[in-house]
């Protein structure tokens, strides 16, 4: 397993879920506040069919994002407390995920 991916795994699961969920909703042209019992199973089935690829892609994108964020090619050298703090502060969400141009370039 890639050491950089392994270094972020204890902290990144909620972010990966966000990335995958947002990507699925966009592919199905569904806004989060419009997700209902009527369209939930469509999105769930898409997730079930593609979960390995979705997860792998999100994890790779997040790993590259973290390398840029920490200005380090070796995430396994980043202290766990520092890594955890980056996720707690939500800098990643504000500076990357909520920026439409970044999201479109990396996740669509």
């Amino acid at each position: 397993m890639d050491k950089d991916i392994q270094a972020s795994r204890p902290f990144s699961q909620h972010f990966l879920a966000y990335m995958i969920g947002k990507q699925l909703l966009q592919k199905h042209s569904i806004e989060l506040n419009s997700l209902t019992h009527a369209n939930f199973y469509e999105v769930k089935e898409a997730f079930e069919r593609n979960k390995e690829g979705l997860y792998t892609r999100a994890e790779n994108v997040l790993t590259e994002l973290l390398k840029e964020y920490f200005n380090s090619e070796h995430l396994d050298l980043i202290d766990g407390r520092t890594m955890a703090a980056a996720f707690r502060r939500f800098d990643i969400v504000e500076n990357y995920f909520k920026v439409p141009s970044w999201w479109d370039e990396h996740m669509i």
Side-chain angles (χ1 to χ4, degrees), residues 82-95:
T82 303
M83 183 78 70
F87 287 101
R88 275 195 316 272
R89 284 192 308 265
F90 275 83
D91 292 350
I92 295 166
V93 172
E94 295 297 327
N95 296 327

Side-chain angles (χ1 to χ4, degrees), residues 19-38:
M19 294 168 75
I20 292 168
K22 184 175 177 178
Q23 187 179 19
L24 281 167
L25 291 175
Q26 283 182 325
K27 285 186 178 185
H28 290 274
S29 301
I30 300 171
E31 295 290 325
L32 181 58
N33 59 356
S34 301
L35 186 64
T36 67
H37 68 285

Side-chain angles (χ1 to χ4, degrees), residues 73-102:
E73 284 298 313
H74 304 286
L75 296 179
D76 59 320
L77 300 178
I78 304 293
D79 181 68
R81 293 170 295 187
T82 303
M83 183 78 70
F87 287 101
R88 275 195 316 272
R89 284 192 308 265
F90 275 83
D91 292 350
I92 295 166
V93 172
E94 295 297 327
N95 296 327
Y96 295 93
F97 297 169
K98 287 188 175 180
V99 177
S101 60
W102 182 91

Side-chain angles (χ1 to χ4, degrees), residues 2 5 14 31 40-41 49 53-54 58 70 79 96 104:
D2 185 317
I5 289 174
H14 292 100
E31 295 290 325
F40 175 77
Y41 289 102
R49 282 191 312 274
L54 289 165
F70 287 115
D79 181 68
Y96 295 93
D104 292 349

